[in-house]
Amino acid sequence: MHDRALYEYAVVRLVPRIEREEFINIGVLFYCRKQRYAALLYHLDEQRCRCLSNDLDISQITGHLDSIQAICDGLPEGGDLARLDQTERFRWLTANRSTLIQCSAVHPGLCEDAETTHRELFDRLVL
């Protein structure tokens, strides 16, 4: 039997009109300390998003998601937050906020391969 590792994930949601509390799942943030894996997978279905709000700025949303990606990956364009260690970056990214892009509660699980499990969650929860 393969060694299983603890992972955590949060669903990334687009909340076009915060006062209505409606959202669309657009991504999954995933973190597995043991395998040193932290990543964001996202997909923005413009037609679906416009069902909740017709006046969305898709390029602005994509820019925000790209910033989240850079922070998660620890890239220089992620600024000071990207310099935090992997655990701190994941915690910061999944903190509660009232913004256009929000995360669900963090959920734990066990996996053998973090990247495969991340993809499976993304396929099931977003696509």
Side-chain angles (χ1 to χ4, degrees):
M1 182 171 184
H2 295 276
D3 220 11
R4 294 181 355 150
L6 177 67
Y7 69 84
E8 299 173 81
Y9 76 94
V11 178
V12 179
R13 301 168 171 164
L14 176 67
V15 187
R17 295 179 57 198
I18 295 166
E19 69 278 7
R20 292 181 60 125
E21 298 184 12
E22 298 172 328
F23 62 85
I24 295 173
N25 293 346
I26 60 171
V28 175
L29 265 167
F30 192 97
Y31 171 61
C32 180
R33 181 178 180 175
K34 186 174 183 180
Q35 296 182 19
R36 294 185 176 152
Y37 178 89
L40 167 68
L41 293 175
Y42 72 87
H43 173 73
L44 208 56
D45 182 333
E46 187 173 343
Q47 187 175 1
R48 255 181 99 204
C49 294
R50 294 216 184 271
C51 288
L52 292 184
S53 180
N54 208 18
D55 59 350
L56 289 173
D57 183 345
I58 298 299
S59 63
Q60 176 191 33
I61 295 165
T62 302
H64 288 310
L65 291 167
D66 290 342
S67 293
I68 292 169
Q69 183 83 60
I71 293 166
C72 185
D73 292 344
L75 300 176
E77 54 268 28
D80 290 340
L81 292 170
R83 287 193 277 271
L84 297 172
D85 72 36
Q86 207 173 47
T87 302
E88 293 172 313
R89 292 192 312 262
F90 181 78
R91 298 284 177 254
W92 189 89
L93 289 170
T94 58
N96 287 337
R97 4 185 107 69
S98 277
T99 60
L100 183 66
I101 298 173
Q102 300 178 11
C103 287
S104 71
V106 175
H107 306 283
L110 294 172
C111 68
E112 291 179 9
D113 178 62
E115 187 173 358
T116 299
T117 302
H118 188 193
R119 174 56 66 182
E120 290 169 354
L121 286 167
F122 177 72
D123 290 347
R124 186 170 71 232
L125 299 171
V126 176
L127 297 181

